[in-house]
Structures are given as C-alpha cells and as structure tokens.
Amino acid sequence: GDSVTQMEGPVTLSEEAFLTINCTYTATGYPSLFWYVQYPGEGLQLLLKATKADDKGSNKGFEATYRKETTSFHLEKGSVQVSDSAVYFCALRSGGSNYKLTFGKGTLLTVNP
Amino acid sequence: DTEVTQTPKHLVMGMTNKKSLKCEQHMGHRAMYWYKQKAKKPPELMFVYSYEKLSINESVPSRFSPECPNSSLLNLHLHALQPEDSALYLCASSQGGLAGPNTGELFFGEGSRLTVL
C-alpha cells in the first residue's frame, strides 16, 4: 500500500536558517504529492502541492520538487522565520489508495529568534 | 468564503452522554471528511462523504455515527464514547467528489477538541 516517510523531528533552527525536511514515498501509479502545515491550536492548511514528476510546488517561500526517480518530495525554505514554527506533514494521494490522503508522521519545526 | 467551520471548539462529555460535532462549508465542495488526530500524530481518516453519500468508513466503531444532511453540512454523532476517544476531531472538504480533480487539496476546519471523562 501507499506510504510516506518523513524525517522525524523535532527540528530546531535559528531565524534566517535554511530548512530542509525530507520526504520519500511509496505509491501505486503516479501520486499527487502535498505538504500540509499545522500551526499550534489550528487545523491543517495546504502549503504546496505537485501533481506530476518534476513539478515544483511553491508557496510562502517554501518549495518542493516532485522527484520520481528518487520518490522524494523534500520541503525547503531558504530563510525561516519564527512564524514558520509548526508541524509539517508530507502527504500523497493516489488511485491505489482509493484517493485517500496518506500522511507522513509529521515534523515539528521550532524557529528561535 | 474559503472556511470550514466546526462547532463546538471544545467538548467535554461523560461516557454515557450523547453529543454531536458539527461542520459547515460554503465553498460548493462535494466531498467532506472526518479525521481524528491524537497529540503529535498525523490525522487518521474516519469517514468520507462524496456527493452526500458515505463513500468511506475506515472501520470506525459504531459509537461514532456520521451524518451528511446536505452538501454543506456534516455531523458526527457521539454516543457511549471511551476515554481513549479523546482527541482533536477535524472536518475537511474538497472540491468535486472523492475521485474528482483537486481532491488532495483538503480544506480543514480548526477542529473540535473532545475530552471523554
């Protein structure tokens, strides 16, 4: 079945540091890939997505590229802010999982001033 | 309007109580979801309604009973819950039906935090 593996946290960075959160996946066919973010006390929000190989999703300074050859969708940001502190979930959706979203375990990011 | 609204935000109930969680969206989305999220864990899918019909039930115990009165509303009826059911319950919606385009783009509410005593 489908699965998502993302780096376990917590990740603690100083403001303006470079961020990478690794995500790899196993899926049937050609999945769509997503990063969701959950700020403290809130629900999840879609951060970015990519629906086919080599697509790059981007939003709010975050980027991730759909790499079919390495089955990866790593999240990056060049300069993090305190307001980026949140839990980040990598997810995929494929027909093989009856179109349900499969989430990774989540990575807690804390950015210190 | 791009919001999914959930009520109540907090609910405390005893094991013999009957209560309901409510969810509303006015984005014209045709798929609606209930997820359960425990602390420091990803959301776990419970139910999916597609075009107001129950499409997915992830083997959820019958003490949880979903209802979709119309395309904008989704309820979760709770009865005889256990303390281990305490969690954040998230409602979400997506455009189109379950297999439609963009259905990985879920719009989540802020959740109802349930405590079962």
Side-chain angles (χ1 to χ4, degrees), chain B residues 2 31 36-37 54 68 98:
Chain B
T2 57
K36 173 182 177 180
Q37 187 179 28
L54 183 63
C68 188
L98 182 60

PDB file of all heavy atoms in Angstrom, chain B residues 2 31 36-37 54 68 98:
ATOM      1  N   THR B   2     -13.738  30.789   2.145  1.00  0.00           N
ATOM      2  CA  THR B   2     -12.902  29.594   1.998  1.00  0.00           C
ATOM      3  C   THR B   2     -12.734  28.901   3.330  1.00  0.00           C
ATOM      4  O   THR B   2     -11.699  28.315   3.617  1.00  0.00           O
ATOM      5  CB  THR B   2     -11.520  29.983   1.443  1.00  0.00           C
ATOM      6  OG1 THR B   2     -10.924  30.935   2.316  1.00  0.00           O
ATOM      7  CG2 THR B   2     -11.625  30.539   0.040  1.00  0.00           C
ATOM      8  N   ALA B  31     -17.069  16.745  -1.470  1.00  0.00           N
ATOM      9  CA  ALA B  31     -16.547  15.687  -0.609  1.00  0.00           C
ATOM     10  C   ALA B  31     -16.264  16.288   0.760  1.00  0.00           C
ATOM     11  O   ALA B  31     -15.681  17.368   0.861  1.00  0.00           O
ATOM     12  CB  ALA B  31     -15.276  15.068  -1.188  1.00  0.00           C
ATOM     13  N   LYS B  36      -9.624  12.023  12.814  1.00  0.00           N
ATOM     14  CA  LYS B  36      -9.300  12.046  14.237  1.00  0.00           C
ATOM     15  C   LYS B  36      -7.797  12.262  14.361  1.00  0.00           C
ATOM     16  O   LYS B  36      -7.024  11.608  13.664  1.00  0.00           O
ATOM     17  CB  LYS B  36      -9.689  10.709  14.872  1.00  0.00           C
ATOM     18  CG  LYS B  36      -9.260  10.522  16.320  1.00  0.00           C
ATOM     19  CD  LYS B  36      -9.661   9.130  16.792  1.00  0.00           C
ATOM     20  CE  LYS B  36      -9.189   8.864  18.212  1.00  0.00           C
ATOM     21  NZ  LYS B  36      -9.592   7.498  18.668  1.00  0.00           N
ATOM     22  N   GLN B  37      -7.396  13.184  15.241  1.00  0.00           N
ATOM     23  CA  GLN B  37      -5.970  13.437  15.418  1.00  0.00           C
ATOM     24  C   GLN B  37      -5.609  13.400  16.904  1.00  0.00           C
ATOM     25  O   GLN B  37      -6.100  14.195  17.699  1.00  0.00           O
ATOM     26  CB  GLN B  37      -5.569  14.786  14.819  1.00  0.00           C
ATOM     27  CG  GLN B  37      -4.064  15.002  14.838  1.00  0.00           C
ATOM     28  CD  GLN B  37      -3.639  16.329  14.229  1.00  0.00           C
ATOM     29  OE1 GLN B  37      -4.385  17.301  14.247  1.00  0.00           O
ATOM     30  NE2 GLN B  37      -2.437  16.366  13.672  1.00  0.00           N
ATOM     31  N   LEU B  54     -22.143   8.272   1.948  1.00  0.00           N
ATOM     32  CA  LEU B  54     -20.989   7.762   2.666  1.00  0.00           C
ATOM     33  C   LEU B  54     -20.187   6.869   1.726  1.00  0.00           C
ATOM     34  O   LEU B  54     -20.665   5.838   1.267  1.00  0.00           O
ATOM     35  CB  LEU B  54     -21.454   6.979   3.900  1.00  0.00           C
ATOM     36  CG  LEU B  54     -20.337   6.442   4.797  1.00  0.00           C
ATOM     37  CD1 LEU B  54     -19.513   7.579   5.393  1.00  0.00           C
ATOM     38  CD2 LEU B  54     -20.921   5.572   5.902  1.00  0.00           C
ATOM     39  N   CYS B  68     -24.684  13.358   6.888  1.00  0.00           N
ATOM     40  CA  CYS B  68     -24.490  14.475   5.961  1.00  0.00           C
ATOM     41  C   CYS B  68     -25.868  14.953   5.514  1.00  0.00           C
ATOM     42  O   CYS B  68     -26.400  14.463   4.513  1.00  0.00           O
ATOM     43  CB  CYS B  68     -23.644  14.028   4.773  1.00  0.00           C
ATOM     44  SG  CYS B  68     -23.147  15.353   3.659  1.00  0.00           S
ATOM     45  N   LEU B  98     -15.046  12.234  -4.433  1.00  0.00           N
ATOM     46  CA  LEU B  98     -13.859  11.615  -3.868  1.00  0.00           C
ATOM     47  C   LEU B  98     -12.772  11.408  -4.922  1.00  0.00           C
ATOM     48  O   LEU B  98     -11.587  11.573  -4.666  1.00  0.00           O
ATOM     49  CB  LEU B  98     -14.235  10.282  -3.229  1.00  0.00           C
ATOM     50  CG  LEU B  98     -13.099   9.525  -2.542  1.00  0.00           C
ATOM     51  CD1 LEU B  98     -12.502  10.356  -1.421  1.00  0.00           C
ATOM     52  CD2 LEU B  98     -13.600   8.209  -2.006  1.00  0.00           C
TER      53      LEU B  98
END
